[in-house]
Amino acid sequence: MTLATIWVVVEPSNGSLTTTSLELLTHARTFGATVAAITWGDSGSSLAALCGEYGAATLYDVGALNGALPGVPVAAAIVQLVTSQGAPDAILIPASYDGRDIAGRLSARLDRPVLTNVTGLSDDGGLVTEHPVFGGTQTVKARFTGEGPGIIVVRAKSFAAESAGGSSATVVAAPAGDAGSSAGATITTSHVEERTGPKLEDATVVVSGGRGLGEADKYALIEEVAKLLHGAAGASRAIVDAGWVPYSHQVGQTGKTVKPAVYIACGISGATQHMVGMKGSKNIVAINKDPDAPIFQIADFGIVGDVHKVLPALIAALKARG
Amino acid sequence: MNIVVCVKQIPDPAAPQALDASHNLDRSGKLILDEADTYGVEMALQLVDKAGTGEVTVVSMCSASDVAGLRNALAMGAAKAIVVSDDSLRGTDALGTAKVLAAVIRRVNPDLVLAATESSDGYTGTTPVQVAELLGLPSITFAKSVAIDGSTVKVERQTEAGYDEVAAPLPALVTVTAGVVEPRYASFKGIMAAKNKPLEVLSIADLGLAGETGPTGARQEITDVVAAESRAAGEKHVDDGDGAEKIVSFLESIKVL
């Protein structure tokens, strides 16, 4: 079966698109299919040039959502597109807060299954998805067996984002219409948390802390090392669940996927949950008291030691370099 | 304020995990209540307590032969549990699971449905929203706080940049992140009381969902399971007071410094 059409849900972010959206557009065009993008928000049509540059021929614009959470209206708009344009072979959706909402809503509305946590996608007489399981030690390959479109939710950083230099996509209005009784979740106020330094998912250096720090106050050591290395501070699920740091710092299966030049894991034992989010890092440095901690099995450079001694010494050494 | 909490019993994540011959997660060992679900149970108990009326019902799809995890939720304070147990459920996907849970929730007709953002075994992360859509309910995912204000649920929802305040009319579905509340430990009194709380067991036929579940309903298949590219362990040094210097040298060698 030749892939004829692939739709990619592209997520608006500060007047542009999220990096994961561009990664999906880039990968979608490798299948030789016609690629269409679907977006929403106030700046929809201004994204046509960017979508075209990354390979989309058409940009379906759901338009302004007036505060509604995107899940319901965007899924409703896609269902209408399936009716008016015919079903594509697949719909690719970024694994983000809103992307997951859209995928769930769409799956139930179309009565089509969804494959999530996808990190690889290839054409083998039909699309074959790859999913990391058990902390990324094994890869499950899967495919849809029923009628399409298959809904595929792809994790960040699964593919590179590369411009194809294409011309601007043709913008087609795709309003949601009446989304029905499931509409009604509305954003009343947005809060932006202040952040200094690079974003966790974009940083070339990520310094992460875990339970081994012992107490919430010690996370300041992680932040200081990250700052001195011009990097970002991350965290294991354990200390996020414990309330030491916000969820936005979490690296792992349920948090962010990072692939920095170097990942420095401090007091993190290396639960499979965590490993899947960082094992794609170019270099991994681990500091842990326990010489048998699983993190050392994947670390390029390990220090068996107490983070409460090693981190202050590292801070002093980095400061001494100026 | 009647609240349904969707919960799942999973193999202990701390124990070794494996896939069985048909590529399903091996669930033959002891099952526990997914820790991610304890936050929803606790949140529900607190909201009902604050409302001063109503009760918490936990709903799950699992074998009725091992319900220790559900008893744990009852021991925390939930009033009753409803379990859908059926041999035909093995191999059911996220949407099929959502159909089962939605059919049960429809019977309870609650004011609010709570669930975790995803389970800690399958991590699909779409089931709650699929349930909401099947029930025609609004949903707010990734809640870091939940409050009821009259007939409205008000949620602080995690975002990439920080958080949004989001409101939805009841009835609604909300998924909660870990840390939304601190789950209580079941007291001895609670554990004893849980033994006598109602635990209703339903079959797929009871729900009229024959053919929608199991591998046929899933309309997807695992074609292969392969070992992922592994990373080899590199150098390991015991810190003799020179650990920091060694890290600096390593960072220099990879040109990060």
Side-chain angles (χ1 to χ4, degrees), chain A residues 255-304:
Chain A
K256 294 204 164 69
T257 302
V258 298
K259 291 187 175 177
V262 62
Y263 187 90
I264 307 177
C266 310
I268 293 177
S269 63
T272 56
Q273 220 279 47
H274 188 73
M275 307 269 229
V276 76
M278 46 66 83
K279 68 178 288 197
S281 304
K282 196 145 184 275
N283 293 281
I284 296 171
V285 174
I287 309 165
N288 203 294
K289 260 195 314 205
D290 176 6
D292 298 322
I295 191 80
F296 287 125
Q297 292 165 17
I298 64 161
D300 301 287
F301 195 84
I303 295 292
V304 180

Side-chain angles (χ1 to χ4, degrees), chain A residues 111 139 189 191 281 321, chain B residues 123 163 165 219 226 231 252:
Chain A
D111 192 25
T139 304
T189 316
H191 298 263
S281 304
R321 294 172 59 93
Chain B
Y123 289 112
Y163 69 94
E165 292 177 39
R219 294 167 289 171
V226 295
R231 289 185 80 106
E252 283 172 342

Side-chain angles (χ1 to χ4, degrees), chain A residues 81-169:
Chain A
L81 282 173
V82 168
T83 307
S84 65
Q85 311 290 321
D89 294 300
I91 301 174
L92 310 187
I93 302 176
S96 61
Y97 301 117
D98 290 335
R100 280 170 46 168
D101 281 4
I102 293 166
R105 291 284 176 183
L106 188 60
S107 163
R109 282 189 181 227
L110 290 174
D111 192 25
R112 293 290 178 270
V114 54
L115 287 167
T116 68
N117 282 318
V118 170
T119 55
L121 190 62
S122 55
D123 182 7
D124 185 15
L127 285 174
V128 175
T129 55
E130 291 180 19
H131 312 249
V133 295
F134 307 142
T137 54
Q138 291 180 53
T139 304
V140 161
K141 296 188 178 186
R143 66 182 189 99
F144 294 109
T145 56
E147 204 180 324
I151 302 165
I152 298 171
V153 182
V154 184
R155 286 184 69 92
K157 294 202 165 35
S158 298
F159 312 112
E162 286 161 12
S163 161
S167 56
S168 190

Side-chain angles (χ1 to χ4, degrees), chain A residues 165 286 311:
Chain A
L311 289 178

